[in-house]
Structure formats: C-alpha cells, structure tokens
Amino acid sequence: MAALRSLFLCVFVLSAALSHSHAQLTPNFYNKVCPKALSTIRSVVLNAIKREPRMGASLLRLHFHDCFVNGCDGSVLLDDIGNFVGEKTAFPNINSIRGFEVVDQIKQKVNKACKGNVVSCADILAVAARDSVAILGGPNYKVLLGRRDARTASVDDANRSLPPPFFSFSQLLSSFQSQGLDLKDLILLSAGHTLGKARCATFRTRIYNDTNIDRKFAASLKAICPPSGKDNNLMGLDKSSNFFDNAYFKALLNKKGLLHSDQELFGGGSQKSDELVSYYSSYPYSFRDDFGSSMIKMGNIKPLTGSYGEIRQNCRFVN
Ligand code: HEM
Ligand SMILES: *[C@@H]1O[C@H](CO)[C@@H](O)[C@H](O)[C@H]1NC(C)=O
Ligand SMILES: *[C@@H]1O[C@H](CO)[C@@H](O)[C@H](O)[C@H]1NC(C)=O
C-alpha cells in the first residue's frame, strides 16, 4: 500500500515536472513575482523611442531575429566572448541589428524593480517589441510570458533561418512555414516594415535590376543608393517609418516596396498573397488586430519554459 502510494506520488511529481517544463506562456507570468516588470520595461522603451524614434523598429526586429533562430530564447543577445560564438556576426545580423544598449538598460532597471533576477531576456524582447509597436501607433496586444533564456546560440542557424531580402515569394513562404507560421502571418509580420529603415546594400539589386518596381520610385532611390558604395545609406522601409500604419501595404500595391522580399508579397506570383495585401491596404483596423495575433504566434515559437534554460543575469552572457 505504501509502495503503491509512493508510486502514485512519484508519477504525480514526475508528470507535474514534465507539464511544467512544457508549460504554456501566459500573460500573467510576472504578476506575482514582479508586478512592476512590465511597466518598467515600457518606461525604458518609451524613453529610448523619445530619444530616437527608430529604436522602436530596431527593438521589434530583435524579437523577430530572436524567435526565428531556434525559438524565442534570447539567443540573439549573446555576445561573442572567448570561444563562445553568438549570432551577432551572422550575415543577416552583422552591421544591421541594433538596440542592445536599450536591452541592457531594461535588464538593469527590471532587476532593480523586481529586487532580483526573475525576468528573462527573451521575455524582455517580446515585451519591448510590443511596447515599441504600441508607442508608435500600433496595437497594444497582450504579450504572453514565461520564456527562459538559452545557454547556447548558433551563428550557422542564424544564417540559415533568417530570410534574406532577395528571397522569392515561395522561399519566403517556406521560411515562415518552417517556423509554424502561414501565409497570413508572412504578410502581417512582413508589414513590421511599416517601421524602420534599411541600408542601401539591402535594396540595391531591387532598384537597379527588379522589374516589379515603379520606375520613378526606383529612380528616386538611386540618388541615395548608387550602383556601388554608400552601402550604409538609409531609407525608410515605408514612407512613414516612425509610425505604425498601413502605408506599407499601399506601397506594395503601387510597386513601391523597398525590399525585393516586400514586393514579392504583391505581384510575386501568389494570387492569395495579392488579395491579402489589398485587403490590409483597405482595412487598417484589421491590420492592427491581425498583426497582434501574428506577433503572439511568432512569440510562441519554441520557447524554453519550466526548468529549461535559465534567467540570464546579463542579457549578453550566459550565467
Ligand atoms: C519576411 C522576411 C523578412 C525579410 C527578408 C526582412 C529583411 C529585412 C532587411 C533586409 C532589413 C534592413 C536591414 C538593414 O538594412 O540592415 C529589415 C529591417 C527591418 N525588419 Fe525585416 N525582414 C523580414 C521580416 C521581418 C519581420 C517578420 C519583422 C518583424 C515583425 C521585421 C522587422 C523589421 C524592422 C522593424 C526593420 C527595421 C529595423 C531598424 O530600422 O532598425 N522584418 N528587414
Ligand atoms: C554565416 O555568415 C557569416 C557572415 O557572412 C559567414 O562568415 C559564415 O561563414 C556563415 N556561415 C554559414 C554556415 O553560412
Ligand atoms: C544587375 O544584374 C546584372 C546582370 O545580372 C549584374 O551584373 C549586376 O551586378 C546587377 N546589379 C545590381 C546592382 O545588383
């Protein structure tokens, strides 16, 4: 009888432990352990955006570049140190992703507000992305929380998993599908390009060689982006790059997408994609709501939960 009871207890504890490590993310994760966590993150993000509006875009992109490389686990934040190679030198990241100082500042302030190290860097990225979107005029969707931080990173996986701007429609779609996302998510999340800027190097081939581009639009960009040199000259990804709106979709209808990958979503060969782009160009409120849903889906990519991973003390280094 005692043996049976301890067997039951054992099974119970084991299954509790297992279900915990596969726990779902929840919006209330920090309510008890640190009720000030979310307001602290938001205030640092707000200040950073006041200093430089583009920072909102940069923080949004960090969350994307985190989630697409082995899940939303803070791996993108790890520095190269000693023999440890992080993801910052991967082709899609190098000289491109930014916002690490803001993340450091958030981490410092959150640890102070929480009187301890309880908020993961992966969750900080998810919240900072949402706050950036909301502050710049987008939806204030509910972020799900409870991610933990990876103790590993992979520069090769970052090269492989982050879609480059020269991808075709079908390559973009398979990239998203391999993350468990669908066509609608591809279109909505690509419209994250309603915020931020791109370097000449990323849209040069498009303005000189693409055919699915408005001629005047291409000509006007050639001044900023010559056939060679000036790789780092910047151009807004849409014409209101500090404001979350649906100008991105309207631009695609007019063959004025900045990146080749953007324009592939309209006139790139998929009628369904064309229809969705048209739809969101006409229904900005649907875009706002649906963008939030797709961000939540992206934020759910392979999180570490329960006892997997760790809560990093400093987002740049494993503990
Ligand atoms: C669909 C595939 C995607 C491709 C090929 C792509 C590619 C790019 C490229 C090439 C840049 C410019 C980088 C540079 O000039 O250094 C960029 C910027 C940006 N991307 Fe994407 N991206 C994609 C999806 C996304 C997604 C899903 C999001 C977020 C939801 C996102 C958010 C951003 C933002 C906000 C910027 C501007 C960053 C800043 O100004 O600092 N992108 N993207
Ligand atoms: C990843 O990209 C970097 C920078 O271009 C490159 O040095 C490295 O060899 C790449 N790795 C793979 C596996 O493609
Ligand atoms: C445009 O295409 C030509 C021919 O393929 C190529 O030689 C050239 O480098 C391309 N230009 C740009 C800016 O990509």
Side-chain angles (χ1 to χ4, degrees):
M1 189 61 203
L4 195 63
R5 208 160 50 203
S6 64
L7 179 69
F8 269 116
L9 193 68
C10 196
V11 168
F12 175 77
V13 169
L14 191 70
S15 69
L18 281 175
S19 71
H20 191 53
S21 57
H22 294 283
Q24 294 287 306
L25 303 179
T26 119
N28 310 320
F29 194 81
Y30 296 110
N31 283 11
K32 287 218 171 99
V33 65
C34 184
K36 285 188 191 152
L38 297 204
S39 59
T40 304
I41 297 172
R42 187 178 164 107
S43 75
V44 179
V45 172
L46 182 61
N47 272 316
I49 290 177
K50 279 185 183 159
R51 248 179 284 131
E52 189 209 0
R54 186 186 173 199
M55 190 50 72
S58 305
L59 292 170
L60 171 59
R61 188 166 185 237
L62 273 187
H63 181 46
F64 163 50
H65 281 215
D66 185 28
C67 292
F68 263 54
V69 184
N70 299 317
C72 315
D73 61 0
S75 58
V76 69
L77 301 173
L78 292 169
D79 278 352
D80 289 3
I81 180 171
N83 293 328
F84 186 91
V85 182
E87 294 165 9
K88 293 180 178 179
T89 56
F91 192 66
N93 289 338
I94 195 164
N95 296 323
S96 187
I97 45 169
R98 54 202 295 281
F100 300 110
E101 299 75 15
V102 176
V103 175
D104 291 340
Q105 204 191 349
I106 293 172
K107 182 68 180 173
Q108 255 175 25
K109 293 226 164 141
V110 162
N111 279 12
K112 208 174 249 173
C114 300
K115 300 188 169 67
N117 183 38
V118 293
V119 180
S120 69
C121 299
D123 277 349
I124 286 175
L125 288 183
V127 175
R130 187 276 312 274
D131 290 344
S132 295
V133 164
I135 289 165
L136 295 170
N140 195 16
Y141 60 91
K142 243 188 179 46
V143 185
L144 301 183
L145 300 165
R147 300 171 191 80
R148 290 165 63 87
D149 299 321
R151 297 179 48 79
T152 57
S154 169
V155 68
D156 290 349
D157 289 342
N159 275 358
R160 264 194 294 273
S161 306
L162 292 165
F166 50 80
F167 262 14
S168 66
F169 174 79
S170 62
Q171 289 174 310
L172 291 166
L173 184 59
S174 10
S175 163
F176 274 60
Q177 284 173 338
S178 69
Q179 303 281 354
L181 301 171
D182 60 21
L183 170 65
K184 205 170 149 192
D185 300 314
L186 168 64
I187 282 151
L188 288 159
L189 294 171
S190 295
H193 291 171
T194 181
L195 300 176
K197 296 180 176 181
R199 289 168 305 135
C200 163
T202 69
F203 59 84
R204 175 179 284 127
T205 306
R206 167 152 173 77
I207 63 176
Y208 288 97
N209 280 354
D210 274 10
T211 50
N212 189 14
I213 187 168
D214 178 86
R215 293 177 66 125
K216 281 188 185 158
F217 177 67
S220 72
L221 290 167
K222 289 175 183 171
I224 297 161
C225 189
S228 66
K230 309 277 183 192
D231 279 10
N232 295 325
N233 277 3
L234 293 171
M235 183 65 200
L237 281 154
D238 76 1
K239 62 183 176 189
S240 47
S241 65
N242 291 329
F243 199 75
F244 188 99
D245 58 15
N246 70 343
Y248 172 83
F249 293 116
K250 292 181 175 164
L252 298 189
L253 295 184
N254 295 313
K255 301 189 182 185
K256 291 179 179 174
L258 184 64
L259 304 179
H260 174 80
S261 52
D262 292 327
Q263 195 61 57
E264 282 294 289
L265 305 181
F266 189 86
S270 162
Q271 194 190 330
K272 249 193 127 189
S273 183
D274 289 0
E275 282 167 9
L276 282 164
V277 170
S278 302
Y279 173 77
Y280 288 117
S281 75
S282 307
Y283 294 98
Y285 288 95
S286 302
F287 167 47
R288 289 168 61 86
D289 289 349
D290 295 354
F291 181 80
S293 307
S294 287
M295 285 297 291
I296 291 168
K297 257 175 101 174
M298 183 174 82
N300 274 329
I301 299 174
K302 283 169 65 183
L304 297 171
T305 57
S307 53
Y308 289 106
E310 63 183 20
I311 307 292
R312 236 176 261 153
Q313 189 76 43
N314 178 331
C315 293
R316 292 174 184 268
F317 309 106
V318 298
N319 291 340

Coordinates of all heavy atoms in Angstrom, one line a residue, residues 96-162:
S96 N 23.8 45.4 -38.7 CA 22.4 45.5 -39.0 C 21.5 45.6 -37.8 O 20.7 46.6 -37.6 CB 22.0 44.4 -40.0 OG 20.7 44.6 -40.5
I97 N 21.5 44.6 -37.0 CA 20.6 44.6 -35.8 C 21.2 45.6 -34.7 O 22.4 45.7 -34.6 CB 20.3 43.2 -35.2 CG1 21.6 42.4 -35.0 CG2 19.2 42.5 -35.9 CD1 21.4 41.2 -34.2
R98 N 20.3 46.2 -34.0 CA 20.7 47.2 -33.0 C 19.7 47.2 -31.9 O 18.6 46.6 -32.0 CB 20.8 48.6 -33.7 CG 19.6 49.0 -34.5 CD 19.9 50.1 -35.6 NE 20.4 51.3 -35.0 CZ 19.7 52.3 -34.5 NH1 18.3 52.1 -34.4 NH2 20.2 53.4 -34.0
G99 N 20.0 48.0 -30.9 CA 19.2 48.1 -29.7 C 19.7 47.4 -28.5 O 19.0 47.4 -27.4
F100 N 20.9 46.9 -28.5 CA 21.4 46.1 -27.4 C 21.6 46.9 -26.1 O 21.4 46.4 -25.0 CB 22.7 45.4 -27.8 CG 22.5 44.4 -29.0 CD1 23.1 44.7 -30.2 CD2 21.8 43.3 -28.8 CE1 22.9 43.9 -31.3 CE2 21.6 42.4 -29.9 CZ 22.2 42.7 -31.1
E101 N 22.0 48.2 -26.3 CA 22.2 49.0 -25.1 C 20.8 49.3 -24.4 O 20.8 49.3 -23.2 CB 22.8 50.4 -25.5 CG 24.2 50.3 -26.2 CD 24.1 49.8 -27.6 OE1 23.0 49.8 -28.2 OE2 25.2 49.4 -28.2
V102 N 19.8 49.4 -25.2 CA 18.4 49.6 -24.6 C 18.0 48.3 -23.8 O 17.5 48.4 -22.7 CB 17.4 49.9 -25.7 CG1 16.0 50.1 -25.1 CG2 17.8 51.2 -26.4
V103 N 18.3 47.2 -24.4 CA 18.0 45.9 -23.7 C 18.8 45.8 -22.4 O 18.3 45.4 -21.4 CB 18.3 44.7 -24.6 CG1 18.1 43.4 -23.8 CG2 17.4 44.7 -25.8
D104 N 20.1 46.2 -22.5 CA 20.9 46.2 -21.2 C 20.3 47.1 -20.2 O 20.2 46.8 -19.0 CB 22.3 46.8 -21.5 CG 23.1 45.8 -22.4 OD1 22.8 44.6 -22.4 OD2 24.1 46.3 -23.0
Q105 N 19.8 48.3 -20.6 CA 19.2 49.2 -19.7 C 17.9 48.7 -19.1 O 17.7 48.8 -17.9 CB 19.0 50.5 -20.4 CG 18.9 51.7 -19.5 CD 18.4 53.0 -20.2 OE1 18.3 53.0 -21.4 NE2 18.1 54.0 -19.4
I106 N 17.1 48.0 -19.9 CA 15.9 47.4 -19.4 C 16.2 46.4 -18.4 O 15.6 46.4 -17.3 CB 15.1 46.8 -20.6 CG1 14.6 47.8 -21.6 CG2 13.9 45.9 -20.0 CD1 13.9 47.2 -22.8
K107 N 17.2 45.5 -18.7 CA 17.5 44.4 -17.8 C 17.9 45.0 -16.4 O 17.5 44.5 -15.4 CB 18.6 43.6 -18.4 CG 19.0 42.4 -17.6 CD 18.0 41.4 -17.5 CE 18.4 40.1 -16.7 NZ 17.3 39.2 -16.5
Q108 N 18.8 46.0 -16.4 CA 19.2 46.6 -15.2 C 18.1 47.2 -14.4 O 18.0 46.9 -13.2 CB 20.1 47.8 -15.5 CG 21.6 47.6 -15.3 CD 22.4 48.8 -15.8 OE1 21.9 49.9 -15.8 NE2 23.7 48.5 -16.1
K109 N 17.2 47.9 -15.0 CA 16.1 48.5 -14.3 C 15.1 47.5 -13.8 O 14.5 47.7 -12.7 CB 15.4 49.6 -15.2 CG 16.3 50.8 -15.5 CD 15.5 52.1 -15.4 CE 16.5 53.2 -15.3 NZ 16.1 54.4 -16.0
V110 N 14.9 46.5 -14.6 CA 13.9 45.4 -14.2 C 14.5 44.7 -13.0 O 13.7 44.4 -12.1 CB 13.6 44.5 -15.4 CG1 13.0 43.2 -15.0 CG2 12.7 45.2 -16.4
N111 N 15.7 44.3 -13.1 CA 16.3 43.6 -11.9 C 16.2 44.4 -10.6 O 16.0 43.9 -9.6 CB 17.7 43.2 -12.2 CG 17.8 41.9 -13.0 OD1 16.8 41.5 -13.6 ND2 19.0 41.3 -13.1
K112 N 16.3 45.7 -10.8 CA 16.2 46.6 -9.6 C 14.8 46.6 -9.1 O 14.5 46.4 -8.0 CB 16.7 48.0 -10.0 CG 17.2 48.8 -8.8 CD 17.8 50.1 -9.3 CE 19.3 50.2 -9.1 NZ 19.8 51.4 -9.8
A113 N 13.8 46.8 -10.1 CA 12.4 46.9 -9.7 C 11.9 45.6 -9.1 O 11.0 45.6 -8.3 CB 11.6 47.3 -11.0
C114 N 12.4 44.5 -9.6 CA 12.0 43.2 -9.1 C 12.8 42.7 -7.9 O 12.5 41.7 -7.4 CB 12.1 42.2 -10.2 SG 11.2 42.5 -11.7
K115 N 13.8 43.5 -7.5 CA 14.7 43.1 -6.4 C 15.2 41.7 -6.6 O 15.2 40.9 -5.7 CB 13.9 43.2 -5.0 CG 13.4 44.6 -4.7 CD 12.9 44.7 -3.3 CE 12.6 46.1 -2.9 NZ 11.5 46.7 -3.7
G116 N 15.6 41.4 -7.8 CA 16.2 40.1 -8.1 C 16.1 39.8 -9.6 O 15.5 40.6 -10.4
N117 N 16.7 38.7 -10.0 CA 16.8 38.3 -11.4 C 15.7 37.3 -11.8 O 15.9 36.1 -11.7 CB 18.2 37.7 -11.6 CG 18.4 37.3 -13.1 OD1 18.0 38.1 -14.0 ND2 19.1 36.2 -13.3
V118 N 14.5 37.9 -12.1 CA 13.4 37.0 -12.4 C 12.8 37.1 -13.8 O 12.1 36.2 -14.2 CB 12.2 37.2 -11.4 CG1 12.7 36.7 -10.0 CG2 11.8 38.6 -11.3
V119 N 13.2 38.2 -14.5 CA 12.6 38.4 -15.8 C 13.6 38.0 -16.9 O 14.7 38.5 -16.9 CB 12.1 39.8 -16.1 CG1 11.5 40.0 -17.4 CG2 11.1 40.3 -15.0
S120 N 13.2 37.1 -17.8 CA 14.1 36.6 -18.8 C 14.4 37.6 -19.9 O 13.6 38.5 -20.2 CB 13.6 35.3 -19.5 OG 12.5 35.6 -20.2
C121 N 15.5 37.5 -20.5 CA 15.9 38.4 -21.7 C 15.0 38.1 -22.9 O 14.6 39.1 -23.6 CB 17.3 38.2 -22.0 SG 18.4 38.6 -20.6
A122 N 14.6 36.9 -23.0 CA 13.7 36.6 -24.1 C 12.3 37.2 -23.9 O 11.7 37.8 -24.9 CB 13.5 35.0 -24.2
D123 N 11.8 37.3 -22.7 CA 10.6 38.0 -22.4 C 10.7 39.5 -22.6 O 9.8 40.2 -23.1 CB 10.0 37.6 -21.0 CG 9.3 36.3 -20.9 OD1 8.9 35.8 -22.0 OD2 9.0 35.9 -19.8
I124 N 11.9 40.0 -22.2 CA 12.1 41.4 -22.3 C 12.0 41.8 -23.8 O 11.4 42.8 -24.2 CB 13.5 41.8 -21.8 CG1 13.5 41.8 -20.2 CG2 14.0 43.2 -22.3 CD1 14.8 42.1 -19.5
L125 N 12.6 41.0 -24.7 CA 12.5 41.3 -26.1 C 11.0 41.2 -26.6 O 10.6 42.1 -27.4 CB 13.3 40.3 -27.0 CG 14.8 40.4 -26.9 CD1 15.5 39.4 -27.8 CD2 15.3 41.8 -27.3
A126 N 10.2 40.3 -26.1 CA 8.8 40.2 -26.5 C 8.1 41.4 -26.1 O 7.2 42.0 -26.8 CB 8.2 38.9 -26.0
V127 N 8.3 41.8 -24.9 CA 7.6 43.0 -24.3 C 8.0 44.3 -25.0 O 7.2 45.2 -25.3 CB 7.7 43.1 -22.8 CG1 7.1 44.3 -22.2 CG2 7.1 41.8 -22.1
A128 N 9.3 44.4 -25.2 CA 9.9 45.6 -25.8 C 9.4 45.8 -27.2 O 9.1 46.9 -27.7 CB 11.4 45.6 -25.8
A129 N 9.2 44.7 -27.9 CA 8.7 44.7 -29.3 C 7.2 45.2 -29.3 O 6.8 46.1 -30.0 CB 8.8 43.3 -29.9
R130 N 6.4 44.6 -28.4 CA 5.0 45.0 -28.3 C 4.9 46.5 -27.9 O 4.1 47.3 -28.5 CB 4.3 44.2 -27.2 CG 2.8 44.4 -27.2 CD 2.3 45.6 -26.3 NE 3.0 45.6 -25.0 CZ 2.5 44.9 -23.9 NH1 1.4 44.2 -24.0 NH2 3.1 45.0 -22.8
D131 N 5.7 46.9 -26.9 CA 5.6 48.3 -26.4 C 6.1 49.3 -27.6 O 5.5 50.3 -27.7 CB 6.5 48.5 -25.2 CG 6.0 47.8 -24.0 OD1 4.8 47.5 -24.0 OD2 6.7 47.7 -23.0
S132 N 7.1 48.9 -28.3 CA 7.5 49.7 -29.4 C 6.4 49.9 -30.4 O 6.1 51.0 -30.9 CB 8.7 49.1 -30.1 OG 9.8 49.0 -29.3
V133 N 5.7 48.8 -30.8 CA 4.6 48.9 -31.7 C 3.5 49.8 -31.2 O 3.0 50.6 -31.9 CB 4.1 47.4 -32.0 CG1 2.7 47.4 -32.6 CG2 5.1 46.6 -32.8
A134 N 3.2 49.6 -29.9 CA 2.1 50.3 -29.3 C 2.4 51.8 -29.2 O 1.6 52.7 -29.6 CB 1.7 49.8 -27.9
I135 N 3.6 52.1 -28.8 CA 4.1 53.5 -28.7 C 4.1 54.3 -30.0 O 3.7 55.4 -30.1 CB 5.5 53.6 -28.0 CG1 5.3 53.2 -26.5 CG2 6.1 55.0 -28.1 CD1 6.7 52.9 -25.8
L136 N 4.4 53.5 -31.1 CA 4.5 54.2 -32.4 C 3.1 54.1 -33.2 O 3.1 54.4 -34.3 CB 5.6 53.5 -33.2 CG 7.0 53.8 -32.6 CD1 8.1 53.0 -33.3 CD2 7.3 55.3 -32.7
G137 N 2.1 53.8 -32.4 CA 0.7 53.9 -33.0 C 0.1 52.6 -33.4 O -1.0 52.6 -33.9
G138 N 0.7 51.5 -33.0 CA 0.2 50.2 -33.4 C -0.6 49.6 -32.2 O -0.8 50.2 -31.2
P139 N -1.0 48.3 -32.4 CA -1.9 47.7 -31.4 C -1.1 47.3 -30.1 O 0.1 46.9 -30.1 CB -2.3 46.4 -32.1 CG -1.2 46.1 -33.0 CD -0.7 47.4 -33.5
N140 N -1.8 47.4 -29.0 CA -1.2 47.1 -27.7 C -1.6 45.7 -27.3 O -2.3 45.5 -26.3 CB -1.7 48.1 -26.6 CG -0.9 48.1 -25.4 OD1 0.2 47.6 -25.3 ND2 -1.5 48.7 -24.3
Y141 N -1.2 44.7 -28.1 CA -1.7 43.3 -27.9 C -1.1 42.8 -26.7 O -0.1 43.3 -26.1 CB -1.3 42.5 -29.2 CG 0.2 42.4 -29.5 CD1 1.0 41.5 -28.9 CD2 0.8 43.4 -30.3 CE1 2.4 41.4 -29.2 CE2 2.2 43.4 -30.5 CZ 2.9 42.4 -30.0 OH 4.3 42.4 -30.2
K142 N -1.7 41.7 -26.2 CA -1.3 41.1 -24.9 C -0.1 40.2 -25.2 O -0.2 39.2 -26.0 CB -2.4 40.2 -24.4 CG -2.9 40.7 -23.0 CD -3.9 39.7 -22.4 CE -4.4 40.2 -21.1 NZ -4.8 41.6 -21.0
V143 N 1.0 40.4 -24.5 CA 2.2 39.6 -24.8 C 2.1 38.4 -23.8 O 1.9 38.5 -22.6 CB 3.5 40.3 -24.4 CG1 4.7 39.5 -24.8 CG2 3.6 41.6 -25.2
L144 N 2.4 37.2 -24.3 CA 2.5 36.0 -23.5 C 3.9 35.9 -23.0 O 4.9 36.1 -23.7 CB 2.1 34.8 -24.3 CG 0.7 34.8 -24.9 CD1 0.3 33.5 -25.6 CD2 -0.4 35.1 -23.8
L145 N 4.0 35.4 -21.7 CA 5.3 35.4 -21.0 C 5.6 34.1 -20.3 O 4.7 33.3 -20.1 CB 5.2 36.6 -20.0 CG 5.0 38.0 -20.6 CD1 4.6 39.0 -19.5 CD2 6.2 38.4 -21.3
G146 N 6.8 34.0 -19.9 CA 7.3 32.8 -19.2 C 8.4 32.1 -20.0 O 8.8 31.0 -19.6
R147 N 9.0 32.8 -21.0 CA 10.1 32.2 -21.7 C 11.3 32.3 -20.8 O 11.5 33.2 -20.0 CB 10.4 33.1 -23.0 CG 9.3 33.2 -24.0 CD 9.7 34.2 -25.0 NE 8.5 34.5 -25.9 CZ 7.5 35.3 -25.5 NH1 7.5 36.0 -24.4 NH2 6.4 35.5 -26.3
R148 N 12.2 31.3 -21.0 CA 13.5 31.4 -20.4 C 14.7 31.5 -21.4 O 14.4 31.4 -22.6 CB 13.7 30.2 -19.5 CG 12.8 30.2 -18.3 CD 12.6 28.9 -17.6 NE 13.9 28.4 -17.0 CZ 14.3 28.7 -15.8 NH1 13.6 29.6 -15.0 NH2 15.5 28.3 -15.4
D149 N 15.9 31.8 -20.9 CA 16.9 32.2 -21.8 C 17.8 31.0 -22.2 O 18.2 30.2 -21.3 CB 17.8 33.3 -21.2 CG 17.0 34.5 -21.0 OD1 16.2 34.9 -21.8 OD2 17.2 35.2 -19.9
A150 N 18.2 30.9 -23.4 CA 19.1 29.9 -23.9 C 20.5 30.0 -23.3 O 21.0 31.1 -23.0 CB 19.2 29.9 -25.4
R151 N 21.2 28.9 -23.2 CA 22.6 28.9 -22.8 C 23.5 28.7 -24.1 O 24.7 28.5 -24.0 CB 22.9 27.8 -21.8 CG 22.1 28.1 -20.5 CD 22.3 27.0 -19.4 NE 23.7 26.7 -19.2 CZ 24.6 27.5 -18.5 NH1 24.1 28.5 -17.9 NH2 25.8 27.2 -18.4
T152 N 22.8 28.7 -25.2 CA 23.6 28.4 -26.5 C 23.1 29.4 -27.5 O 22.0 30.0 -27.4 CB 23.3 27.0 -27.0 OG1 21.9 26.9 -27.2 CG2 23.8 25.9 -26.1
A153 N 23.9 29.5 -28.6 CA 23.5 30.3 -29.8 C 24.1 29.6 -31.0 O 25.0 28.8 -30.8 CB 24.0 31.7 -29.6
S154 N 23.6 30.0 -32.2 CA 24.2 29.3 -33.4 C 24.2 30.3 -34.5 O 23.2 30.7 -35.1 CB 23.4 28.1 -33.8 OG 23.8 27.7 -35.1
V155 N 25.4 30.7 -34.9 CA 25.6 31.6 -36.0 C 25.2 31.0 -37.3 O 24.6 31.6 -38.2 CB 27.1 32.2 -36.1 CG1 28.1 31.1 -36.4 CG2 27.2 33.3 -37.0
D156 N 25.4 29.7 -37.4 CA 25.0 29.0 -38.6 C 23.5 28.9 -38.8 O 22.9 29.1 -39.8 CB 25.6 27.5 -38.7 CG 27.1 27.6 -38.9 OD1 27.6 28.6 -39.2 OD2 27.7 26.5 -38.7
D157 N 22.8 28.6 -37.6 CA 21.4 28.6 -37.7 C 20.8 30.0 -38.0 O 19.8 30.1 -38.7 CB 20.8 28.1 -36.4 CG 21.0 26.6 -36.2 OD1 21.3 25.9 -37.2 OD2 21.0 26.1 -35.1
A158 N 21.5 31.0 -37.5 CA 21.0 32.4 -37.8 C 21.2 32.7 -39.3 O 20.3 33.2 -39.9 CB 21.8 33.4 -37.0
N159 N 22.3 32.2 -39.9 CA 22.4 32.4 -41.4 C 21.3 31.6 -42.1 O 20.8 32.1 -43.1 CB 23.8 31.7 -41.8 CG 24.9 32.7 -41.7 OD1 24.7 33.9 -41.3 ND2 26.1 32.2 -42.0
R160 N 21.0 30.4 -41.6 CA 20.1 29.5 -42.3 C 18.6 29.9 -42.1 O 17.8 29.8 -43.0 CB 20.2 28.1 -41.8 CG 21.1 27.2 -42.6 CD 20.9 25.8 -42.2 NE 21.4 25.5 -40.8 CZ 22.6 25.2 -40.5 NH1 23.5 25.1 -41.5 NH2 23.0 25.0 -39.3
S161 N 18.3 30.4 -40.9 CA 16.9 30.6 -40.6 C 16.3 32.0 -40.8 O 15.1 32.1 -40.9 CB 16.6 30.3 -39.1 OG 17.2 29.0 -38.8
L162 N 17.1 33.0 -40.9 CA 16.6 34.3 -41.2 C 16.5 34.6 -42.7 O 17.5 34.5 -43.4 CB 17.5 35.4 -40.5 CG 17.5 35.3 -38.9 CD1 18.6 36.0 -38.3 CD2 16.1 35.8 -38.4

